Amino acid sequence: MRLVVARCSVTYEGRLAAHLPEAIRLIMVKADGCVAIHADGGAYKPLNWMNAPNTMVEHADRWEVFNPKGERLLITMHEVLSDESVALGVDPGLVKDGVELHLQVILAEKPWVLEEGLNLMRREYPTDLGPVDLMCTDRYGALVAVEIKRRGELDSVEQLTRYLDRLNLDPRLRPVRGILAAQAITPQARLLAEARQIDTVEVDYDGLREAESTELRLF
Amino acid sequence: MRLVVARCSVTYEGRLAAHLPEAIRLIMVKADGCVAIHADGGAYKPLNWMNAPNTMVEHADRWEVFNPKGERLLITMHEVLSDESVALGVDPGLVKDGVELHLQVILAEKPWVLEEGLNLMRREYPTDLGPVDLMCTDRYGALVAVEIKRRGELDSVEQLTRYLDRLNLDPRLRPVRGILAAQAITPQARLLAEARQIDTVEVDYDGLREAESTELRLF
DNA sequence: GTGTATATCTCGGGG
DNA sequence: CCCCGAGGTATACAC
């Protein structure tokens, strides 16, 4: 990784046009070639950047970075204050726990917490618009598509609606109804779901996880 | 801005739990207090981070970063290889051109480029599912909801459909039709829009901007 | 503050 | 390769 502190101005031309007036900034060049220009604030997002793969041409007074899509980043160097390189090696990577997948696994084991009599048929049931999180049958044997989210918002209802439209085109499946399950559901999403006859269920993730570990302790 | 290169391991506990095994990384601390841990690859996004506002406590062998939401970032320092600070000053900030807002402003001034006789009634017209970009009247006085995008894709059609459904529930407004305006519209979006009687218009942003600056020069 | 939409979103998975 | 969905999304903007 190369770290350059410089008084510079920057122009980006690509998906939009953007310009940075002259100021002192940190320019980070990673081993994969990606370039990021950081100010001393504004969360972790750089002011300007160019991801790999790209080509960098270093002139005396400016850097030009191109990528295959025709985007272009031009850094004009007015004064280089420092320029250091350090070898970091390959990173072993990030281990995560507690994302949507976890909630899906728990609900796949106990779909009846969403509705009495609900039974799992299959997880990640494929449609040609993407997979339904849980495909279940209800107490009467009818099909129910369940979409699981951490937060249920308008987009979630749209997504489930698309799946339902698709599934209900198939006479062997029809009728399929939907349930949106999330730890929290916005009133607007609830409104839209209701208008489309989609049920909404708020799920207590922490409670379920607790119950799960209690069962593990019992056996 | 402070730049520390260190062999470290990291734990985050907050909206999820995440862990980074021991490796050499760059730790960036900005003037606003935000902390970002970078590997030598993977675009501009850090492996782990904690945005401002937060509190950092620096112990001999570890850094603890907390934020008011109860999230926690723990950096265990196994070996500090370098630790430098540099003053960057306040950044004048990024100037952008070509995002959706600009297109919206231009089209609000000249809605008739979308359709002859179109007249602006109101920008950001509210519905209970979100705001319509432009609410217009057509040459016959009927209402037209315009959704503006840089790129018109399936989601854009869904979004406009949602608004139209909502607006057409109101007998004082009905009937309201829709126009999707974008610099480019995918064939799939065009197809879906057509199936829903929604008009699509591709807009020449550069041409409009050019026309706008010409007018400015004339007056 | 809440809620919605945008983003040069980034990133990863599946066809 | 593109498409789609998730994200500790972050960020801006309107109400």
Side-chain angles (χ1 to χ4, degrees):
Chain A
M1 183 181 293
R2 182 173 171 196
L3 299 170
V4 178
V5 177
R7 200 157 48 76
C8 61
S9 44
V10 184
T11 300
Y12 165 79
E13 275 165 20
R15 280 165 282 186
L16 56 59
H19 178 72
L20 282 173
E22 185 175 328
I24 299 175
R25 306 189 173 92
L26 170 73
I27 304 167
M28 187 191 308
V29 185
K30 292 189 177 182
D32 59 4
C34 73
V35 181
I37 296 147
H38 283 270
D40 209 351
Y44 66 69
K45 196 178 180 185
L47 294 163
N48 252 321
W49 68 91
M50 181 78 88
N51 284 349
N54 63 39
T55 314
M56 186 166 94
V57 184
E58 217 173 315
H59 301 272
D61 61 337
R62 69 188 191 282
W63 294 5
E64 288 177 354
V65 193
F66 304 90
N67 77 4
K69 284 182 251 171
E71 299 173 304
R72 181 169 164 270
L73 185 72
L74 173 67
I75 308 174
T76 303
M77 297 289 187
H78 303 288
E79 183 185 6
V80 175
L81 301 171
S82 83
D83 184 345
E84 294 177 22
S85 291
V86 55
L88 299 186
V90 176
D91 202 280
L94 188 67
V95 185
K96 289 186 186 186
D97 173 41
V99 289
E100 181 196 305
L101 181 61
H102 205 141
L103 187 54
Q104 194 189 110
V105 169
I106 290 179
L107 288 176
E109 283 172 10
K110 312 171 201 259
W112 53 86
V113 306
L114 298 175
E115 180 184 291
E116 201 192 316
L118 214 59
N119 235 313
L120 180 68
M121 198 177 90
R122 148 145 216 210
R123 212 148 73 82
E124 298 289 347
Y125 182 95
T127 76
D128 48 3
L129 290 179
V132 175
D133 288 336
L134 305 183
M135 185 63 91
C136 299
T137 51
D138 67 13
R139 74 197 82 170
Y140 309 111
L143 285 173
V144 181
V146 179
E147 178 64 33
I148 299 168
K149 291 281 186 234
R150 288 193 307 143
R151 286 168 308 184
E153 301 181 0
L154 289 170
D155 280 0
S156 320
V157 182
E158 297 288 18
Q159 192 181 337
L160 181 51
T161 303
R162 279 200 301 273
Y163 296 153
L164 288 171
D165 287 349
R166 211 71 204 157
L167 293 166
N168 278 308
L169 287 178
D170 189 335
R172 289 166 306 175
L173 302 177
R174 202 165 46 212
V176 186
R177 64 187 171 88
I179 296 178
L180 172 62
Q183 289 173 69
I185 300 177
T186 63
Q188 289 79 355
R190 209 181 284 278
L191 185 71
L192 183 62
E194 195 175 335
R196 296 186 181 169
Q197 323 260 23
I198 290 171
D199 293 322
T200 53
V201 182
E202 284 196 347
V203 175
D204 174 10
Y205 173 64
D206 292 329
L208 284 172
R209 195 169 47 174
E210 191 58 35
E212 195 183 40
S213 54
T214 304
E215 281 169 34
L216 284 174
R217 260 182 265 122
L218 289 172
F219 294 102
Chain B
M1 183 181 295
R2 181 173 172 196
L3 299 169
V4 177
V5 177
R7 200 157 49 74
C8 61
S9 44
V10 184
T11 300
Y12 164 79
E13 275 165 20
R15 279 168 283 187
L16 57 61
H19 178 72
L20 283 173
E22 185 175 330
I24 299 175
R25 306 190 173 92
L26 170 72
I27 304 166
M28 188 192 305
V29 185
K30 292 190 176 182
D32 60 4
C34 74
V35 181
I37 297 148
H38 283 270
D40 208 352
Y44 68 67
K45 197 177 179 184
L47 294 163
N48 252 321
W49 69 91
M50 184 75 88
N51 284 348
N54 63 38
T55 314
M56 185 165 96
V57 184
E58 216 173 317
H59 300 272
D61 61 335
R62 69 190 192 279
W63 293 7
E64 289 176 355
V65 193
F66 304 88
N67 77 4
K69 284 182 250 170
E71 299 173 301
R72 180 168 165 269
L73 186 71
L74 173 67
I75 308 174
T76 304
M77 297 289 186
H78 302 290
E79 184 185 5
V80 174
L81 302 171
S82 84
D83 184 345
E84 294 178 22
S85 291
V86 55
L88 299 187
V90 176
D91 202 280
L94 187 66
V95 185
K96 289 186 187 185
D97 176 39
V99 291
E100 184 195 302
L101 179 61
H102 299 142
L103 191 53
Q104 193 189 110
V105 169
I106 290 178
L107 288 176
E109 282 172 11
K110 311 171 201 258
W112 53 87
V113 306
L114 297 174
E115 180 185 291
E116 201 191 317
L118 213 61
N119 235 313
L120 180 68
M121 198 175 91
R122 152 145 210 206
R123 214 148 73 82
E124 301 285 349
Y125 182 95
T127 76
D128 49 3
L129 292 179
V132 176
D133 287 338
L134 305 183
M135 185 62 92
C136 300
T137 49
D138 69 11
R139 76 198 81 171
Y140 309 110
L143 284 174
V144 181
V146 179
E147 178 64 33
I148 298 168
K149 292 279 185 231
R150 287 194 308 144
R151 286 169 306 187
E153 300 179 2
L154 288 172
D155 278 1
S156 321
V157 183
E158 298 287 18
Q159 191 180 337
L160 180 50
T161 303
R162 212 154 67 211
Y163 297 153
L164 288 171
D165 287 350
R166 218 65 211 162
L167 293 166
N168 277 308
L169 287 179
D170 188 335
R172 291 165 304 175
L173 302 177
R174 200 166 48 212
V176 186
R177 64 188 172 89
I179 297 178
L180 172 62
Q183 288 174 71
I185 300 178
T186 63
Q188 295 92 328
R190 205 181 287 279
L191 194 67
L192 183 61
E194 196 174 336
R196 296 186 182 168
Q197 324 260 24
I198 289 171
D199 293 322
T200 54
V201 183
E202 283 195 348
V203 175
D204 174 12
Y205 174 66
D206 291 330
L208 285 173
R209 193 174 49 175
E210 191 57 35
E212 197 183 40
S213 55
T214 304
E215 281 169 36
L216 283 174
R217 259 181 266 121
L218 288 172
F219 295 102

